[in-house]
Amino acid sequence: MRCPFCGHEDSQVKDSRPTDDGAAIRRRRQCEGCAARFTTFERIQLRELYVMKSEDKREPFDREKLLRSVSIAARKRPIDAVRIEKLVSGIQRQLETQGENEIPSKRIGEMVMEGLKGLDSVAYIRFASVYKDFREARDFEEFAGNVNEVGKG
């Protein structure tokens, strides 16, 4: 593993343990060149996944991009980082086990919305505002009204 500080090619694993959600291995490493310490995460990947964008563009699935977008929606909300990790890991695992290598971005967005709906209504609305491309305050009002109706039912 290349050192992020000095670029040296070799590092030594000092400690390994599973993450809280058990979906990855956290490794503490020490660079053999500059002695700096850093952390890496190792995850199981069942298959290569590609995301099909709306304009017929195809790109590799990026777990970090998904994690970032969910984290942005959940920013300053009372949602534990472990729960966000579990949501993203669960979505990734579902995608990998569905048997398809090419997944429409719309399906991923729907899965995120479904997961956020159960975690936090504000994060759900924030994500929806980008995913559904809200243009005006009225769009927020209509969507939030529907979220409230679902919560009452």
Side-chain angles (χ1 to χ4, degrees):
M1 175 66 56
R2 181 181 304 238
C3 175
F5 302 105
C6 72
H8 192 271
E9 292 289 331
D10 295 319
S11 62
Q12 185 177 42
V13 175
K14 294 295 185 181
D15 180 47
S16 290
R17 63 182 67 180
T19 55
D20 290 338
D21 65 357
I25 300 290
R26 177 184 181 273
R27 299 195 194 283
R28 284 294 293 159
R29 297 178 176 271
Q30 183 169 1
C31 175
E32 293 181 2
C34 69
R37 288 185 177 232
F38 57 98
T39 302
T40 60
F41 291 88
E42 184 179 306
R43 297 188 184 283
I44 295 172
Q45 181 174 333
L46 298 176
R47 66 179 45 175
E48 277 299 310
L49 297 175
Y50 293 93
V51 178
M52 301 304 295
K53 300 292 201 168
S54 55
E55 54 281 346
D56 289 333
K57 213 169 78 176
R58 179 181 179 230
E59 64 183 49
F61 174 78
D62 184 349
R63 183 186 193 287
E64 294 306 313
K65 183 176 178 182
L66 179 59
L67 180 61
R68 252 189 330 274
S69 64
V70 172
S71 295
I72 288 169
R75 185 175 291 149
K76 295 187 180 182
R77 299 298 304 155
I79 304 172
D80 189 287
V82 172
R83 292 179 75 192
I84 293 172
E85 273 287 332
K86 283 184 181 179
L87 172 63
V88 171
S89 292
I91 290 170
Q92 181 179 6
R93 196 66 58 231
Q94 283 179 345
L95 295 172
E96 288 176 340
T97 58
Q98 284 178 352
E100 298 174 43
N101 288 1
E102 296 181 345
I103 296 104
S105 60
K106 183 174 180 157
R107 184 179 316 153
I108 297 170
E110 294 294 333
M111 292 170 83
V112 171
M113 287 191 45
E114 190 62 35
L116 284 175
K117 187 189 295 187
L119 285 181
D120 184 87
S121 61
V122 172
Y124 173 64
I125 292 170
R126 283 179 182 165
F127 185 85
S129 72
V130 175
Y131 174 66
K132 294 188 177 284
D133 196 24
F134 291 175
R135 302 252 183 223
E136 300 175 16
R138 179 178 56 230
D139 298 333
F140 278 96
E141 291 172 20
E142 290 173 13
F143 190 80
N146 291 337
V147 169
N148 288 334
E149 291 303 314
V150 169
K152 291 178 184 174

